[in-house]
Amino acid sequence: MHLFISHAAPTGPNCQAAIAELSLPNLNELLGQLTPTPPMLGSPDTLTPLAERIRANSLGLQGPDGLIPWAATDAQQLGLTKIHGDAGWAWITPCHLTPQSNQVRMEDPLDLYISTQECDTLRNAMKRYFEEDNKITLHPLTNGTWLAFGEVFKDLPTASLERVACNAIDAWMPQQEHAKHLRRLQNEMQMLLYTHAVNDSRTARGLATINAFWISGTGTPGPAPTKPPVRMDHVDGLRKAALQDDAQAWMLAWQEIDNTRLAELLRSVKAGKSEQLTLCGERTAVTLETQDKPWWGRIQQRFSTASSQQLLQTL
């Protein structure tokens, strides 16, 4: 098993301060049983978060910052690249933006709970505008994301949705000259959605309206990977609290993971099975794994290993 825990040490000040208060006995014991490998480095300023880069690597997906070909991979799986080709794909995510005094903030799109009917109705209402001026074709994917194909997306770096969910979007908007048409399209869609019946219904039910969209997942696939994908069990139970910098909820989520997934992993390690654990923050990800060591090496490691709090503070 390769257990991958994202949002293990978010940069929000509340969660950072809460690290010192965490009590994670199973993780502490695992740190004494597993051996760290060289860390992978990231930055909170990149378009592609470190956790997303690691998941892409496990699947054999490569690309520069902001150009991991997630959308093109989905299009390949649906057979759509046989129609349009591999280059020029993007994810389009309906979202809710809130203007503030000096910035525009996006609510977490996962909290919108868009129904299938709403998703289809909005896509049908918006697709004409995408097609007319920008030559962009929309295809269904999920209730929260559509696939889009258009020349404008080719080689256009875009910020991951994780960068803007529960955050200001201003610094993450594409600024390239050929992206100005997309900014104009965004304004047109805000006007269309403002009075749309779907939003009237959502407002009547006390739900947030859908008043914009976010573009991500751009990139062109490279050669097929020579190695099979690495099976990685992604634990994202820390995500919501981390994005909101809710320290109390984040600590409770960590305790739940320690009591369940990490307790299971520890039992497996003690049973002599080969296991891996990756803890991923914004700046650093550390992978720990079982390695054969002489008995004195195992004893030495247990006495020299940092605590879970010390390790998380380095991420």
Side-chain angles (χ1 to χ4, degrees):
M1 178 192 298
H2 187 165
L3 200 63
F4 175 64
I5 301 178
S6 60
H7 304 90
T11 56
N14 296 330
C15 289
Q16 276 290 306
I19 291 176
E21 303 176 31
L22 281 173
S23 176
L24 305 172
N26 288 307
L27 178 56
N28 276 331
E29 191 167 353
L30 278 166
L31 295 182
Q33 300 273 349
L34 301 174
T35 301
T37 61
M40 186 172 181
L41 302 180
S43 167
D45 299 324
T46 56
L47 299 171
T48 303
L50 179 56
E52 193 169 307
R53 173 73 62 182
I54 291 172
R55 289 192 290 110
N57 288 348
S58 73
L59 297 171
L61 297 180
Q62 301 292 328
D65 186 36
L67 287 170
I68 303 295
W70 296 110
T73 300
D74 283 335
Q76 284 178 338
Q77 293 173 349
L78 293 173
L80 294 173
T81 54
K82 296 178 181 178
I83 303 171
H84 300 293
D86 290 335
W89 290 95
W91 281 337
I92 301 292
T93 302
C95 60
H96 178 84
L97 301 182
T98 303
Q100 298 179 334
S101 57
N102 59 353
Q103 62 186 16
V104 177
R105 182 180 187 273
M106 183 190 292
E107 306 304 320
D108 189 352
L110 294 184
D111 291 338
L112 289 177
Y113 304 109
I114 304 174
S115 70
T116 301
Q117 182 178 359
E118 288 175 330
C119 184
D120 292 341
T121 300
L122 289 176
R123 190 181 69 257
N124 288 330
M126 296 166 69
K127 67 180 183 180
R128 176 170 63 88
Y129 296 87
F130 278 73
E131 291 170 353
E132 285 181 350
D133 290 342
N134 298 275
K135 304 297 188 292
I136 297 171
T137 305
L138 293 180
H139 297 272
L141 183 62
T142 70
N143 285 355
T145 305
W146 306 324
L147 277 175
F149 174 80
E151 187 68 22
V152 66
F153 300 128
K154 185 177 179 180
D155 301 323
L156 177 68
T158 53
S160 167
L161 199 62
E162 289 294 289
R163 289 302 192 208
V164 290
C166 302
N167 209 341
I169 70 168
D170 307 70
W172 300 106
M173 293 286 289
Q175 298 301 320
Q176 292 84 346
E177 178 63 22
H178 68 286
K180 64 182 181 180
H181 300 295
L182 297 174
R183 296 192 290 272
R184 185 178 66 191
L185 179 62
Q186 183 74 271
N187 292 333
E188 290 175 351
M189 292 305 92
Q190 287 176 336
M191 291 187 287
L192 170 72
L193 294 169
Y194 183 71
T195 57
H196 198 281
V198 163
N199 280 329
D200 292 340
S201 174
R202 290 179 64 88
T203 299
R205 288 178 284 142
L207 298 175
T209 58
I210 299 160
N211 61 10
F213 63 88
W214 189 254
I215 302 166
S216 63
T218 50
T220 303
T226 56
K227 297 180 180 179
V230 177
R231 185 180 179 277
M232 188 178 285
D233 190 355
H234 183 198
V235 178
D236 63 352
L238 301 168
R239 176 188 178 275
K240 186 178 182 66
L243 293 180
Q244 297 177 348
D245 196 24
D246 184 340
Q248 186 64 32
W250 184 74
M251 291 175 66
L252 289 173
W254 244 130
Q255 289 167 0
E256 173 68 17
I257 292 171
D258 191 71
N259 292 335
T260 54
R261 304 305 303 274
L262 293 182
E264 176 188 356
L265 186 67
L266 180 60
R267 288 193 294 270
S268 182
V269 169
K270 288 182 174 180
K273 296 182 180 179
S274 179
E275 305 287 6
Q276 287 182 302
L277 169 65
T278 296
L279 303 173
C280 185
E282 284 279 11
R283 297 180 177 86
T284 308
V286 175
T287 295
L288 307 105
E289 60 186 20
T290 50
Q291 291 185 1
D292 290 332
K293 287 187 176 183
W295 64 267
W296 62 85
R298 293 194 295 270
I299 293 175
Q300 183 182 35
Q301 179 178 337
R302 292 180 188 181
F303 282 102
S304 62
T305 300
S307 69
S308 56
Q309 291 93 338
Q310 289 172 319
L311 177 59
L312 295 178
Q313 286 168 343
T314 68
L315 304 182

